[in-house]
Amino acid sequence: MASEAVYSHRDPMLKKRDDFEDILEERRNCSDLRYALKCYTPVVYKGLTPCKAGVLKNMVLQSDQLHYVINQVSKETGKAPEDVQEEASAILEEMAHRMQLSTVRFFAFTLCKVFKTLFRSICVNEEGIQRLQQAIQEHPVVLLPSHRSYMDFLLMSYILFTYDLALPVIAAGMDFMGMKIVGEMLRMSGAFFIRRSFGGDKLYWAVFSEYVKTILKNGLAPVEFFLEGTRSRTAKSLTPKLGLLNIVMDPFLKGEVFDINVVPVSISYERILEETLYARELLGVPKPKESTSGLFKARRVLSEDYGSIHVYFGQPVSVRSLAEGRVNRCQFNLTPRHIPKRPSDDVHSFVNAAAYRLVRAQEENMVLKPWVLLASLLLQNHHQDLDQDRAAGPERGMGLDELTEEALWLRDVCRQYGAFLHWPDHVPPSEVVSSSLDLHRGLVRISEGRVRLAVEHAGPSGPGVHPGAGPEEQLLNQAVVVLSCASYRNQALHVFLRPALLASAMHIATSSNKQEVFNSFSFLRNMFSNEFILCPGATMQDFEEACFLLVKTGVLQITEQEVLSTHRGHRTLAFLTRMMDPFLQGYQVICMFLCEEASEALTEKTFIPAVRGFMVKQLLSGRLRYTEVLSSDLQKNALAALLRLGAVLKTKGADQTTLKVNRVMVNSLEDTLGGKLPTQKAAVARL
Amino acid sequence: SAFTSGVSLESSPNTMEHIKCPILQEIMKWNGWGYVDSKFQFNKKGQAEFTGKRYRLSGMVMPALKEWFESTFGASLQHKTPAIPNSSAVQPPILNEAFVEDLKSTGIPFSQDAEDRVFRAHGHCLHEIFALREGKVGRVPDMVVWPSNHNDVVKIVELACKHNVCLIPYGGGTSVSSALECPPEETRTIVSVDTSQMNRILWIDEKNLTAHVEAGIVGQELERLLNESGYCTGHEPDSMEFSSLGGWVATRASGMKKNIYGNIEDLVVHIRMVTPQGVIEKSCQGPRMSTGPDIHHFILGSEGTLGVVTEVTMKIRPMPEYQKYGSVVFPNFEQGVACLREVLTLITNVFAGHALKPQKFYITKFKGFDPNRLCVATLLFEGDRERVLQHEKQVYDIAAKFGGLAAGEDNGQRGYMLTFVIAYLRDLGMDYYVIGESFETSVPWDRVLDICRNVKERIIRECKERGVQFPPLSTCRVTQTYDAGACVYFYFAFNYRGLSDPVHVYEQVEHAARDEILANGGSLSHHHGVGKLRKEWMRETVSRVGMGMLKSVKDYVDPGNIFGNRNLL
């Protein structure tokens, strides 16, 4: 298979990671102005003669690639080539960055002030910086930061400026351009703007890809973009988008450069600026359009404490070594390289596998704060309270001691799974817990020594109905808190994912037979491969990794034939299954909706609102526990999975795309998710 | 001589008188390049000199060479790795007695002498020479036979078929593709068919400007004899002092003046080859035929797997009235390549040849150019005086557009002369822990710069990864140009002190470099051929069907694998 997984499951506890330095510390002690005006002389790619933005534009406009497409477009549309050339030039004008050191210095100065107000520290692994510096001199560099906040790319440039590294050219979404002045300023600090969708526009694609390749091939600047395409509102890593990755790998595959270094960067926020914003967005309150004035309204944000940021520059990955033995570069020998071509199957699967590998590299180096564990525990507790109908009683929530004890237990599990956990071991645990809770006080209530999510319960059985707010509105308000909290739990999902899938698989499998458990595992993995980062084609490896971890920690015993849980493993298994439950239930409800409620006229556009309506009803009637399922992210992922599995089909109509439901299949998926049906081999094979 | 002194053709003394030319190994090195009397060495003062009287360089002292040698490779005159003067155990010959008996009765001279056999058991790949210098000898031919004409070859091939004996044709022995290596698994008697006695020009046809020549003739002899009649072929591969016409045909050779005269496939009008199925040749000498696929193309590049080329009719030209060397220095390789491309599109006919090489040691400083990046083009113009001068000016004008500055005739001539002595340099290196080789490819124009950069870098990186302690020499030059692309040579050498198996490291690096060449759109070979060294890439090079075609030709022509050198397929 073309995309064998790229991992070996050595013991994750042995992972070595660099130490961090706080770059704000120095800023707190000396002049910001002097810092912003410091001498800036970054090292550059070997033999590079820096070139002006105008020269770059000319290189792009005069490239064979662009000429070819201009002629093609001119022939197809009947427009004069000069006119098409004009269009190309205009596209480039709209797109191109105009990096100016003065603007960068301005940002450096302003950001200093802002960062110092917002954050306690910005920690960077300096060894990673050194590796990056080396990489920049050797080969063209692509920077791939994780994307959780608007802050990300300003932060990146700020850090690189601080360390006297070459400033990147950054692919940014066009929506920023809406912010007039800020948009232009971002452009002058190295951002270039791309339209969100330009599917069929050949000329746009040609200008865009040639622009990026020209910068990269000549090593003019590191190219930075977000593999996830957009900010993850859930703090889970998003399925990587391949477009830009394809473009930046192309010069290597075609032999135009010897190699390209790709550097995954993991940016972890202790508290995300956009926390509640994201939750609302996921619940269907539309995202406010980016506007300069909107940004200033966010000034309230400035008065709060957002903890610390950890930025980890990962090991540079050589595209050449990634491609070794996976792509036959001879395939480019038979057509001139300037003629655009769709990536062949092997290139596509290579880029896809590489993308997953890189996202996983980002995940691995995400720093987890104690709060992430607390959020996971509090969420589970919240649902248990609901289950046991004590959501409003005095025994709801967790005692502080109990929470601390559980957190310590989870901390150890986490470490055994190789998580990059920053738990201050020299501080008494109770203090760690209380300071974490304090930082996130908007999400928790502490009363009488008990902690719970800051959720006031409605519902048919709950007595605490607030007058004035309808039950649906209350439900949504609760969901905001739950989703915010879930976004912290999600930060740790990648650590638990494989063991959790195995735990759930054991739960839904009809026996402890190893093959059956594997079939269930494989079914779940397949079902959730739009939801989580699961490398294509690595089912066996993931299964083995999960087994390895659970056996190592004494949770499971695995024989030739059977997968058995041990007595002391119960606690871990219960925790892991509960972690997966909201997702399982979410997918089940969506299946239920499609079987019971979906009308013939269901379209792609109406899917989300319709599902949401159905879920709200279910939640209010108490048939459904997890308010998390209201997340549009989960709903979209589930639909993508069902489409991928062929349980739902798209039919393109005149003006809309309708969804056709294969009820038999959806029904059987629902039952399998609920453990009612064994995962048949045939079904697995088909999936 | 390297072996026990004296040569005896022990089999049958009465055949001695058939040998007309001096015993090759008396004038040629058995474990290095070229003539015994010609070599680079460091004299007592530590200065490099070139011995002998054969070359313009002979007898000259080159003080700069030592410095270049030491600084490029980190080599030192203190650390020597001299060759072992003689070879120990050569396996006794496996003899097919019936064949030997029958052969005796034909009166064709042959030998089972160890020295004769070892001499014809190798070409000039690094691993071959390295092993010889260490006195290691593997499977060698069991006999050497010297046919003196086409009919002798017919008899030899008939006998080989009759007695199931393996034949390996041998021309000048300059192969760099392991083509002459005897397959170690071959259990039959291996007979080296040395064509060196088939070295006559049989006739010259001045009306049609062709010459009919026996295929064993070596390049410089062919030119000398034709020059006596006022003609030339213009085919001048770097190995022309030693390589033979038959070898050129069998490997699809190319010469440095090919821009005027063409490559070997353009130069041949008629080929005669003896195969196990009989003699293959065309019935006439028409300059071009539309008679199905050209059967010459089964022969050209067959690398001795189908038969022995015995006679060739070649195009000849009157000797050029006027010849002029020239050279241009470019600020960098990129500009040089762009210039050659331009020259080629504008000028044909007179521009005989050129070579473009970065950082050659004979021009290191030039008018403010960055010495690390400058690049020299050597030029040769041939033809009638007026047109030569006219085109020379044209070329220099174009060069100027690309920042090139004329660097004089001398540098040009020196560049050309160096192509002949460069092979001797490797032997010098091998005396001091330095091993290396060149290999070539052909590549479309738009990929020339990319392939040069990537292959050079790959070599450097592979050396590092394989524990080579010193930075390697990794450089390249453009030696031939075509409308659609160019031939690129890579030079690769390194100081192997500290390595336990330097040849293995060398081979791994060359292998990686070839992978890189192919991945960058280069060919498996421009003119060195495939031999056994590059066989593993043949299928992907010519496709499965292509391989099948070649195999079926082999199966028909030589079902008993009499020509069993196992090259190519």
Side-chain angles (χ1 to χ4, degrees), chain B residues 248-260:
Chain B
W248 299 338
V249 170
T251 55
R252 297 181 62 87
S254 173
M256 55 182 139
K257 294 186 190 170
K258 75 105 200 136
N259 280 10
I260 293 185

Side-chain angles (χ1 to χ4, degrees), chain A residues 51-71:
Chain A
C51 88
K52 295 232 168 63
V55 179
L56 168 63
K57 281 182 196 166
N58 272 337
M59 282 162 87
V60 175
L61 289 174
Q62 280 160 18
S63 66
D64 295 340
Q65 285 76 350
L66 199 53
H67 269 282
Y68 181 86
V69 174
I70 284 171
N71 285 330

Side-chain angles (χ1 to χ4, degrees), chain A residues 547-564:
Chain A
C547 291
F548 172 79
L549 289 175
L550 291 178
V551 170
K552 184 188 87 160
T553 49
V555 173
L556 296 182
Q557 278 183 331
I558 298 178
T559 65
E560 281 287 285
Q561 297 298 325
E562 284 190 302
V563 180
L564 298 166

